[in-house]
Structures are given as structure tokens and as C-alpha cells.
Amino acid sequence: MKTVFIAGHARLPSGMAAQSIYETLTITAEIDKKYGVIVAAGCTLATNHGKEFVQQLLRGHSLQDGIKEPVAILKSHYLGKAGNALASALKDLYRQYEVHHPSVIAK
């Protein structure tokens, strides 16, 4: 298999629809082992439209280039209440990638 699956988590702000289902927001990503590119992404937003929008924003970014650009794109394009939680979950996902990065490359 040429990809790995990584998740990042953050607390949701109060008053969100998704908060009645989940206490935390999760962003998941399938990442190419060799280049660190996000092949597919998902999140626990309440609406399918929101989930698809986040996937479109993240797909194609290489985590080998860092996380600043994807976070900036997310913050400038997603203007809902979950914006800060999404950015935090994405940063957490990147931390998980950094922890496992040497073993991801070695395989």
C-alpha cells in the first residue's frame, strides 16, 4: 500500500450542530507515503457539503512542504464557526504526520 491514514483532533466550539453529535472535530487524511501529498481528506462536520468543501481545500497539498499554506487556505476559505477547530485539527494531523514521517518514508 502506498498511502497512510492519519487523523487530527480539536475541540468544537459550543453552539454548533456537529457538537451535538461529537465533542471533538476530527480531520482525517489519506497521505501518499513517498511525497506526503493528501490524496483524500474527511472531517466530522455536520453537513456533507462542509465535508466535501474541506476535502477540496486539502486535497493535493504535500505535508512535506509544511502546514502553513493549507492552514492559511482553510482559514481564508472556510468562514463557519468551526474554522478555528478545523485549523487546530489540521495542525494536530500534521503533528501526527511529523511523528510518523520517518517510518512513513522508510516503507
Side-chain angles (χ1 to χ4, degrees):
M1 185 157 232
K2 297 182 183 205
T3 59
V4 292
F5 186 85
I6 300 178
H9 309 277
R11 265 207 193 282
L12 279 168
S14 60
M16 290 200 56
Q19 191 189 33
S20 64
I21 302 168
Y22 312 106
E23 288 184 23
T24 60
L25 182 131
T26 301
I27 291 181
T28 58
E30 182 180 358
I31 300 165
D32 174 79
K33 287 182 182 182
K34 187 172 183 179
Y35 300 106
V37 174
I38 297 172
V39 176
C43 66
T44 56
L45 289 174
T47 66
N48 286 335
H49 191 197
K51 294 173 188 180
E52 291 167 6
F53 188 77
V54 170
Q55 171 157 279
Q56 288 174 12
L57 288 177
L58 298 179
R59 188 182 314 132
H61 288 282
S62 174
L63 296 181
Q64 290 181 9
D65 295 333
I67 199 65
K68 286 183 182 180
E69 183 181 352
V71 168
I73 289 169
L74 188 81
K75 285 185 172 188
S76 67
H77 289 84
Y78 182 91
L79 305 179
K81 277 187 174 183
N84 288 334
L86 283 166
S88 293
L90 185 55
K91 290 174 186 176
D92 185 52
L93 182 144
Y94 181 70
R95 281 190 293 274
Q96 296 302 316
Y97 174 77
E98 285 184 309
V99 166
H100 298 288
H101 182 70
S103 63
V104 168
I105 295 300
K107 301 278 184 220

